[in-house]
Amino acid sequence: MKYNVSTEINDLLTAQKPMLWGVGLFKKTNIMPENAVVCDDSMVKDAVDNLDILANRPDTPPRNASIVYNGSEYIIVDGVHGDKIVTEKLYAAVTEAASKLDGNIDLLESECYEMPEYTAGSQKVIDACNQANAYIKPKITINMGPGAEHFIIDKELINTWLFVTDNYDVFFDRNKVKAWVAEFAKTFNTYGQTREFLTAFGSRTTVKGGDFGWLIDQETEVQSLVNVIKAGKDTVRYPVYSVMGVGHGNDDIGSSYVEVDLTNQHVYLWINGKRILDAPCVTGLPPHRITPPGTFRLKKKMSPAILVGENYRTPVSYWMPFNGGIGLHDATWQSSFGGSRYLTHGSHGCVNLSLNTAKQIYGYVYPGMPVVCYYTNERGVGKMTVLPDFTTTTTTTTTESTTETTTIATTQTTTKTQPTTQNTTKTQPVTKAQPATQVATKAQPATQATTKAQPATQAQPVTQTTTKEPEPIQTTAAPPAEPATEPTTKKLPEEQAPITEPVVDDVIHEPLVSE
């Protein structure tokens, strides 16, 4: 330290007013120049730099306040200053203390430590803590459908998805949310998976593959969960699905579906758990054109349609695709159905049906309806289930090689809600008063007499030019009433009505991959 008299004293002397000497007789005045005593800055620096507190201190940096989850809520943990000293601040503190002849310096009060930027009292920290607590407040219930287990998303899970940045912004860790949704979807997705199926025989078989089932849209589900949590309200919600089944668990196909027994070459139609139709069919020609097994969804329905291939255009009255270019349709060129005919006259993968059978099925099916194709160890046709208030009507069509039997369950009191099963000609129009059991059979020569002149596939004009880009037709589960004047006929044996079979008969949009 040194005494500074160079200019301060001279300035004080010059500032005196001699004419006020009389006042000075009665009043004493002490004058202390502000900078009369000063410290030498270089000497202060040298002295401070040699202090042990700088040489031996661990120099721990400060830590800002943090927000942590304590098991029930988010709380603020205050920041700490650590042991790191800002030497410039220490120089200033020592100089000030020396000038005031103060023998003690509190480094914390003098703010000589490097202090945290954010403390427990910082408003930004408080706001972030409140926001995090708002995010863990709601309880989200995920409803998996009737009879299925529900899942609860609450703060115990939500807090694992949150993180607070160094700048106190609260975010969701998308990778953690995605990982949880992926595991959740893995548990409940049934899309394309192997499932147990109860066949018409009453036995269970394993059906692998297809495109039917539940499939959670994971990307959309992640965003939806984040949005619901940010809304801050208790919510009951369903997952976001890209593809939906009907039931849940092993029964995700529900009780209305088409069943195709590839082993026994037979088709069954189930509506609300009741088997209302079964009939023989012809499926893909082995070994390279077999109809793939699996559980599929009906893509659309068209009537009429033209099946288009590289070297053919074949009109059909009813077209119901379910697996790429593979579908159910009438095949009037087939002289018989069922049995082993598919081994020699099999399709390119489609399920060939008689005109009557295709018409009946068309009246009931709808886009999205399950179609189950399978092989089985059972032989023959599944036993018909006898249901209350239902009777059995059998229509028999005799062909040269086999007998086609289509079994249809119809109500005893009315035929209005069932698809028309009567085989008639223009001379025998069907009316609503006509019971379902009045079916044209071989004993009705009038039907056979007109078959050659008016085949069913010619009586209905074709309005569609291709099945490659058809528009789906909206329908309900109940079959539409058929016009009374629409002619439907049975095919005669081949010796009476020769069949010209096309080279290929099915639309193939995609390569057929057999398993």
Side-chain angles (χ1 to χ4, degrees), residues 14-28:
T14 303
Q16 290 187 105
K17 301 184 183 302
M19 297 302 295
L20 298 178
W21 62 269
V23 177
L25 295 177
F26 303 98
K27 181 180 178 182
K28 292 183 178 181

Side-chain angles (χ1 to χ4, degrees), residues 73-85:
E73 64 179 348
Y74 283 94
I75 60 173
I76 299 174
V77 177
D78 202 3
V80 294
H81 57 74
D83 298 318
K84 188 173 183 179
I85 293 178

Side-chain angles (χ1 to χ4, degrees), residues 86-240:
V86 181
T87 54
E88 288 76 8
K89 291 185 177 181
L90 181 56
Y91 296 153
V94 170
T95 299
E96 182 180 1
S99 300
K100 295 180 178 179
L101 303 179
D102 190 349
N104 295 288
I105 300 175
D106 188 314
L107 296 182
L108 185 60
E109 289 182 359
S110 301
E111 297 183 352
C112 292
Y113 291 115
E114 186 173 318
M115 302 301 291
E117 183 179 2
Y118 295 103
T119 66
S122 300
Q123 190 60 46
K124 195 168 188 177
V125 179
I126 295 172
D127 291 343
C129 186
N130 291 338
Q131 186 178 47
N133 279 319
Y135 284 163
I136 65 171
K137 180 181 178 181
K139 181 173 70 174
I140 314 300
T141 302
I142 301 182
N143 188 339
M144 300 306 299
E149 183 180 0
H150 294 183
F151 277 79
I152 305 296
I153 296 177
D154 57 15
K155 59 185 178 182
E156 299 304 320
L157 177 59
I158 298 173
N159 89 85
T160 65
W161 297 346
L162 296 178
F163 73 95
V164 182
T165 68
D166 293 339
N167 200 35
Y168 300 96
D169 294 316
V170 183
F171 286 100
F172 283 86
D173 187 332
R174 294 283 177 148
N175 290 330
K176 290 183 178 180
V177 182
K178 286 180 180 179
W180 184 87
V181 170
E183 286 298 316
F184 180 76
K186 188 185 300 182
T187 302
F188 290 98
N189 282 348
T190 61
Y191 178 85
Q193 294 183 1
T194 300
R195 53 174 53 78
E196 282 192 355
F197 175 69
L198 181 63
T199 69
F201 294 94
S203 60
R204 289 195 172 273
T205 189
T206 299
V207 183
K208 180 182 179 182
D211 63 358
F212 187 85
W214 298 94
L215 183 64
I216 294 176
D217 184 340
Q218 296 187 30
E219 284 294 327
T220 307
E221 178 67 8
V222 168
Q223 186 59 54
S224 296
L225 281 176
V226 171
N227 291 342
V228 169
I229 292 170
K230 285 184 174 181
K233 297 180 180 180
D234 291 352
T235 306
V236 178
R237 62 182 297 275
Y238 292 92
V240 180

Side-chain angles (χ1 to χ4, degrees), residues 58 107 110 137 249 256 296 385 389 494:
L107 296 182
S110 301
K137 180 181 178 181
S256 297
F296 306 93
T385 304
D389 301 325
E494 286 184 346

Side-chain angles (χ1 to χ4, degrees), residues 209-505:
D211 63 358
F212 187 85
W214 298 94
L215 183 64
I216 294 176
D217 184 340
Q218 296 187 30
E219 284 294 327
T220 307
E221 178 67 8
V222 168
Q223 186 59 54
S224 296
L225 281 176
V226 171
N227 291 342
V228 169
I229 292 170
K230 285 184 174 181
K233 297 180 180 180
D234 291 352
T235 306
V236 178
R237 62 182 297 275
Y238 292 92
V240 180
Y241 295 100
S242 55
V243 181
M244 298 180 67
V246 179
H248 290 275
N250 291 330
D251 299 320
D252 64 345
I253 65 171
S255 58
S256 297
Y257 52 87
V258 178
E259 176 180 348
V260 182
D261 183 342
L262 299 172
T263 300
N264 294 291
Q265 294 290 287
H266 215 78
V267 173
Y268 304 88
L269 176 63
W270 297 82
I271 300 296
N272 296 328
K274 298 178 180 180
R275 195 173 85 184
I276 64 169
L277 181 149
D278 73 271
C281 64
V282 174
T283 61
L285 178 69
H288 302 300
R289 300 192 328 218
I290 64 170
T291 303
T295 307
F296 306 93
R297 62 183 64 249
L298 197 72
K299 301 304 184 295
K300 64 193 75 174
K301 50 187 287 188
M302 294 180 63
S303 177
I306 297 179
L307 309 186
V308 179
E310 292 182 0
N311 56 356
Y312 66 91
R313 290 172 60 86
T314 304
V316 296
S317 296
Y318 305 100
W319 168 236
M320 297 158 276
F322 59 84
N323 179 14
I326 297 175
L328 301 127
H329 64 78
D330 53 292
T332 55
W333 54 87
Q334 294 282 10
S335 61
S336 63
F337 298 88
S340 60
R341 182 168 176 79
Y342 77 106
L343 297 176
T344 56
H345 293 79
S347 70
H348 280 70
C350 283
V351 179
N352 288 180
L353 306 167
S354 71
L355 183 62
N356 258 349
T357 300
K359 180 179 180 180
Q360 296 290 340
I361 293 176
Y362 188 90
Y364 279 98
V365 298
Y366 49 86
M369 189 176 191
V371 179
V372 185
C373 303
Y374 64 89
Y375 290 98
T376 179
N377 293 325
E378 304 284 355
R379 296 296 175 182
V381 179
K383 184 178 179 181
M384 181 65 184
T385 304
V386 179
L387 301 170
D389 301 325
F390 275 72
T391 60
T392 300
T393 300
T394 303
T395 303
T396 304
T397 302
T398 303
T399 65
E400 187 177 43
S401 57
T402 64
T403 299
E404 178 190 351
T405 302
T406 302
T407 306
I408 305 170
T410 58
T411 60
Q412 291 179 340
T413 57
T414 180
T415 60
K416 193 172 183 180
T417 60
Q418 299 297 328
T420 306
T421 60
Q422 289 84 355
N423 292 321
T424 66
T425 64
K426 286 185 176 180
T427 59
Q428 291 181 332
V430 180
T431 63
K432 292 183 179 179
Q434 200 170 13
T437 55
Q438 295 177 357
V439 181
T441 63
K442 285 179 62 183
Q444 290 178 309
T447 303
Q448 296 178 354
T450 60
T451 303
K452 291 179 65 178
Q454 285 186 315
T457 56
Q458 296 177 4
Q460 200 169 19
V462 175
T463 57
Q464 301 292 334
T465 58
T466 178
T467 60
K468 289 186 177 180
E469 296 293 337
E471 293 295 329
I473 298 176
Q474 301 298 324
T475 185
T476 60
E482 298 292 340
T485 59
E486 182 182 22
T488 58
T489 61
K490 290 184 178 181
K491 294 194 309 169
L492 296 179
E494 286 184 346
E495 65 268 22
Q496 300 180 41
I499 301 297
T500 301
E501 193 167 14
V503 178
V504 286
D505 56 333

Side-chain angles (χ1 to χ4, degrees), residues 55-85:
N56 301 321
R57 190 166 291 277
D59 204 26
T60 304
R63 186 174 66 249
N64 283 333
S66 59
I67 299 174
V68 299
Y69 184 72
N70 68 358
S72 60
E73 64 179 348
Y74 283 94
I75 60 173
I76 299 174
V77 177
D78 202 3
V80 294
H81 57 74
D83 298 318
K84 188 173 183 179
I85 293 178

